[in-house]
Amino acid sequence: MRISKVNKMHNLSKNQQIIFDLIDKSSEPLKAYAILFNVQKKGIKAPLQVYRALDKLVEIGKIHKIESRNAFIACHNSSCQVAKATAFSICEICEKVTEISSAGLSKYLANFKDKDGMKYSKYNLEFFGLCKKCR
Amino acid sequence: MRISKVNKMHNLSKNQQIIFDLIDKSSEPLKAYAILFNVQKKGIKAPLQVYRALDKLVEIGKIHKIESRNAFIACHNSSCQVAKATAFSICEICEKVTEISSAGLSKYLANFKDKDGMKYSKYNLEFFGLCKKCR
DNA sequence: AATGTTTTGTTATATTATAACAATGTGTAA
DNA sequence: TTACACATTGTTATAATATAACAAAACATT
């Protein structure tokens, strides 16, 4: 049943919930092994358990990977619909990362056509600069 | 001498030149250890020698890192001026990567202001989709 | 020639991520 | 409810990516 699968509520599994809660509570992006150390007391002992949960959470849009930092943050866009069209600002001093939700930006990028007239509904954009505090 | 330093021609060092040549001739992004294996016959034996050259080449804009792939491609923008404002399209099937040079896109992104009115002159954008051949 | 800087060479190690396999749990439909 | 498909877990081992620390050589100014 394709459609119900796609639309289905994602009840997180035990490990997924533990790891999502940790990332969601964090004020900064978390790296996989930082997560591992933090959840060892909860019985998650191996890197693979962490990576599997991270993969799933990324797939369903609950978290995003900051590619330039190999770190993960919870999605704070409207109900995590925007799993595949992400934009972030990253402070080069304090490493603060903020998810950007700008209708204008996402519209512009979703409609962008390359030289071959090709459009892309999936993208990841990382802006770098100095945040308010570090400026 | 600050100014001459900033503007100076980058005569590549021996290792930098070897590694740049390899990347420049490649039709696809190269990973660090793939580079290492390819240049061992030229006397570059250790990962660190590769990473140092890569760091420098990225810094001076001769190559770019494709963050989502941990791979490197030569810059094909007009004389590599655009070291810090990069955009790529990536085919999710064949992994072909193309650097996008669009005046409109770079203008839009350079002028983009976030909620705090903050602008960013440095960014990296990766589009994902299917290339012509794989569509 | 003296000086500061960059680059190199080298060994070791840290960090990030996946392979392979067996077992257990969960949702769904007959 | 039982059986089936599928997702998740647990585990050990290993692959892939990247940096630390230190000494020596090369290079570019003065």
Side-chain angles (χ1 to χ4, degrees), chain A residues 76-89:
Chain A
H76 289 308
N77 264 333
S78 48
S79 63
C80 299
Q81 300 292 338
V82 196
K84 313 209 144 143
T86 49
F88 307 95
S89 70

Side-chain angles (χ1 to χ4, degrees), chain B residues 20-81:
Chain B
F20 174 72
D21 286 344
L22 182 68
I23 296 172
D24 194 39
K25 272 180 298 198
S26 172
S27 62
E28 57 185 11
L30 294 179
K31 300 188 149 228
Y33 277 72
I35 293 168
L36 176 58
F37 297 141
N38 267 286
V39 297
Q40 274 175 333
K41 61 193 80 136
K42 299 222 163 108
I44 297 174
K45 295 179 207 150
L48 197 43
Q49 294 174 290
V50 172
Y51 280 103
R52 284 195 287 223
L54 289 174
D55 284 351
K56 193 65 182 186
L57 290 167
V58 166
E59 183 192 327
I60 65 181
K62 301 282 288 178
I63 65 172
H64 305 302
K65 182 173 188 182
I66 310 301
E67 292 287 355
S68 64
R69 300 298 187 261
N70 298 319
F72 299 85
I73 64 172
C75 177
H76 290 307
N77 264 331
S78 48
S79 64
C80 300
Q81 300 292 339

Side-chain angles (χ1 to χ4, degrees), chain B residues 88-132:
Chain B
F88 307 95
S89 70
I90 302 171
C91 176
E92 290 184 297
I93 291 181
C94 74
E95 293 290 324
K96 178 179 159 73
V97 173
T98 307
E99 185 168 3
I100 293 172
S101 41
S102 156
L105 179 63
S106 41
K107 200 176 222 173
Y108 183 89
L109 293 176
N111 289 323
F112 174 79
K113 285 184 196 170
D114 69 15
K115 280 176 183 158
D116 298 333
M118 176 69 185
K119 281 198 197 181
Y120 302 88
S121 56
K122 188 173 168 187
Y123 59 79
N124 180 56
L125 171 57
E126 298 179 5
F127 282 110
F128 304 93
L130 303 186
C131 75
K132 261 185 176 171

